[in-house]
Amino acid sequence: MTNAQGSSPGASKKTHFDAVIIGAGFSGMYMLHSLRDKLDLNVTAFEAGDGVGGTWYWNRYPGARCDSDSYIYCYTFDKNLLQEWSWSERYPEQDEILRYLEHCAERFDLKPDIQFGKRVTEVIFDDSNELWTVRTEQGDAVTARFVITAVGALSTANVPPFKGLESFKGKCYHTSQWPHDGVDFTAKRVGVIGTGATAVQAIPEIAQQAKHLTVFQRTPAYCVPARNGCVDPEVTKARKADYDGIRQRIKDSFFGFELNFMPKAVLDTTPDEREREFDRMWDTGGFAFWLANYQDMFFSKEANDLIADYLKRKIGSTVNDPTVAEKLTPKTYPYGTKRQPLDTNYFETFNKKNVTLVDAATDGPIEEITPNGIRAGGKEYPLDIIVVATGFDALTGPLKKLGIKGRGGRVLAQEWEDGPQTYLGVAITGYPNLFTITGPQSPSVLSNMPVSIEQHVEWIAECIAHMRRNKLSTVEATPQAQDAWGAHVAEVVNATLMTGANSWYMGANVEGKARRFLPYLGPEGVGGYRRKCAEVAEKGYEGFAFASTGQGWTVHPIAAE
């Protein structure tokens, strides 16, 4: 029996657990299943929302859909689940992904151990008993030996400090905090702030309904077509028959897709040859142009310029007004060094009579929000609704908001003021028994997320099982291992063009945030990172320090492995 929110009546009455999981999206749900059902641990999950889904619970803006192919944007650990679920499109919309996650929650009976409507505000380690205390905004306080953060890399909204925002008399919405009953744009004057991946999805949809749409652009985006649509039933059938092969290929790949760079340099090709390849990738759609391009794209500015020129020509041939096309053409950063938006009629939308582009570089930046609209470049644009599509305080933001304090009262948010410090993106020196699923300095957002989520969840579960078998009470990264990993992450990315963009990968989208590359880029991508983590475990968890009490610590006997 469950209550209206899905939590079992007794779930919130317990005050001690083997493990507490924070979040109930893709990562939190699989972590709960792994620890509870595979290791027989006493586990609870705190979830701020009133339902499962994480990203897909909160992000309900117009046009919200995944941009990884649906057949790999899913759990792959359960063969029967792969066979029984079928997606309607290449890139399903938010509501279909949420239905999938609801189905998984029911299938694995996860809701009885999830406490919904509970936002975690403090996670504090007690050196005397080697336990964590987790507190919520709603007044809960529980202890646990392990805490696993499953808060998502893109879950803390970034709202720039616009002057006068509170004075606006109309309605204002951030895309990641969208009303669950939707927003009616009919006969409304709408302003969208931002032109990143989220805005690229939302703008064409809003333009179809709004009386007039004004887009406020700070930095134009390189977009490639999504080519969304229904998937041929025969293709779906073939994929279901080959899921063992698909699962292995995406685990071994660079980015968690069935995509790999071409083993050739674009500088070694003829103009006709590369144009044919660019056309092929453009027609294929999706991330092919970004993640399966020539191998020198991220390393050579000359090579990158050849690839970027193709996309710039596409903008010029799609947008009717040459002045608007010029505004929409990126000029200040190499292609691929910012998040790749997939578009459906994005550039075509600027051909509509009811759409205006206000570009910060040529028309002037936003000066303030007024009671009646937005003033930019000395001109006021009257609006009824403002949509803030300015993204997230990525990777570090969600963790810094949890109020995490480790050994000796050390404060994570303070220690990370100059950027994150982790070992493998999964553990942090001075924070015993704390694991961060797809944390900073792991492949995370530079991969198809479910692939990286499954790898982290399985690695964490096996580490905890190892501790159970050997009666070890705590585990934490050593300072030496953490320093070496941070140096490695920086060394790898500094050999690429990635640091040349003011991207959220670099933390550059949040005012005052330290400029530091936040995820991990190779050198062999997701596959190489997976092998590194496996090697660490095989060497007795090299780079980790364990402590032993000589006693068992779990409520239940360990399940058979």
Side-chain angles (χ1 to χ4, degrees), residues 334 337 490 493-503 506 515-517:
T337 57
V493 76
N494 286 340
T496 75
L497 300 174
M498 295 294 288
T499 58
N502 288 322
S503 66
M506 296 294 300
R515 188 180 174 88
R516 180 83 64 90
F517 190 71

Side-chain angles (χ1 to χ4, degrees), residues 185-385:
F185 296 106
T186 303
K188 302 295 184 182
R189 298 165 302 176
V190 183
V192 173
I193 302 174
T195 52
T198 292
V200 165
Q201 289 184 332
I203 284 168
E205 297 294 323
I206 295 172
Q208 292 184 47
Q209 192 179 19
K211 176 183 179 181
H212 193 275
L213 172 63
T214 305
V215 177
F216 296 86
Q217 171 184 268
R218 184 174 66 174
T219 307
Y222 288 103
C223 298
V224 296
R227 309 290 186 209
N228 188 39
C230 296
V231 181
D232 186 325
E234 289 302 312
V235 172
T236 298
K237 182 179 178 181
R239 285 170 173 166
K240 286 181 180 287
D242 186 35
Y243 256 123
D244 285 343
I246 289 170
R247 187 168 193 253
Q248 194 59 52
R249 289 192 292 275
I250 61 178
K251 286 167 66 174
D252 292 340
S253 70
F254 202 101
F255 293 108
F257 295 81
E258 288 195 282
L259 297 171
N260 290 289
F261 290 119
M262 286 186 280
K264 188 174 185 178
V266 69
L267 296 176
D268 293 337
T269 63
T270 65
D272 287 345
E273 179 185 351
R274 60 178 173 258
E275 195 76 5
R276 286 194 300 271
E277 289 291 352
F278 293 157
D279 285 343
R280 177 186 61 80
M281 290 182 284
W282 179 266
D283 293 340
T284 298
F287 284 145
F289 205 94
W290 189 33
L291 306 181
N293 216 307
Y294 290 96
Q295 64 178 4
D296 52 348
M297 182 180 82
F298 285 112
F299 300 94
S300 164
K301 181 64 165 57
E302 185 181 358
N304 191 281
D305 286 346
L306 290 173
I307 295 167
D309 176 69
Y310 178 88
L311 296 178
K312 292 176 180 180
R313 286 187 278 119
K314 286 292 186 182
I315 296 170
S317 64
T318 303
V319 181
N320 296 336
D321 186 329
T323 301
V324 175
E326 186 65 18
K327 292 178 182 179
L328 288 166
T329 301
K331 304 174 183 66
T332 60
Y333 61 96
Y335 168 63
T337 57
K338 283 176 172 263
R339 179 70 160 82
Q340 173 68 75
L342 301 188
D343 88 89
T344 300
N345 297 322
Y346 174 68
F347 291 119
E348 289 85 346
T349 297
F350 291 94
N351 294 330
K352 291 177 175 287
K353 293 181 179 179
N354 70 325
V355 177
T356 299
L357 177 66
V358 179
D359 176 52
T362 57
D363 302 309
I366 292 175
E367 296 161 355
E368 67 175 321
I369 310 294
T370 69
N372 298 313
I374 294 177
R375 181 179 291 113
K379 179 179 178 181
E380 184 169 9
Y381 298 84
L383 302 169
D384 302 302
I385 298 174

Side-chain angles (χ1 to χ4, degrees), residues 58-61 173-178 198 202 387-391:
W58 297 106
N59 285 264
R60 300 167 184 248
Y61 59 85
Y173 307 98
H174 193 283
T175 49
S176 70
Q177 300 164 351
W178 206 255
T198 292
V387 175
V388 181
T390 49

Side-chain angles (χ1 to χ4, degrees), residues 144-198:
R145 185 161 299 278
F146 296 95
V147 171
I148 300 98
T149 64
V151 291
L154 301 173
S155 60
T156 298
N158 170 44
V159 182
F162 295 117
K163 179 183 177 182
L165 182 59
E166 298 301 320
S167 72
F168 183 58
K169 293 179 180 179
K171 300 290 187 180
C172 185
Y173 307 98
H174 193 283
T175 49
S176 70
Q177 300 164 351
W178 206 255
H180 286 199
D181 55 356
V183 176
D184 185 2
F185 296 106
T186 303
K188 302 295 184 182
R189 298 165 302 176
V190 183
V192 173
I193 302 174
T195 52
T198 292

Side-chain angles (χ1 to χ4, degrees), residues 108-125:
F108 298 110
D109 194 28
L110 300 178
K111 288 187 178 182
D113 292 299
I114 302 172
Q115 300 186 47
F116 295 103
K118 303 290 182 71
R119 185 176 295 279
V120 171
T121 55
E122 282 190 336
V123 183
I124 301 175
F125 186 73

Side-chain angles (χ1 to χ4, degrees), residues 14-59:
K14 297 177 183 177
T15 59
H16 179 71
F17 298 88
D18 294 328
V20 167
I21 299 162
I22 305 173
F26 263 104
S27 51
M29 288 170 60
Y30 186 33
M31 194 79 252
L32 173 57
H33 172 61
S34 297
L35 295 184
R36 187 195 67 181
D37 299 336
K38 297 179 182 180
L39 298 189
D40 196 27
L41 294 189
N42 180 10
V43 188
T44 195
F46 287 116
E47 166 56 50
D50 290 332
V52 299
T55 294
W56 300 107
Y57 175 86
W58 297 106
N59 285 264

Side-chain angles (χ1 to χ4, degrees), residues 67 196 372 478 537:
D67 48 16
N372 298 313
T478 67

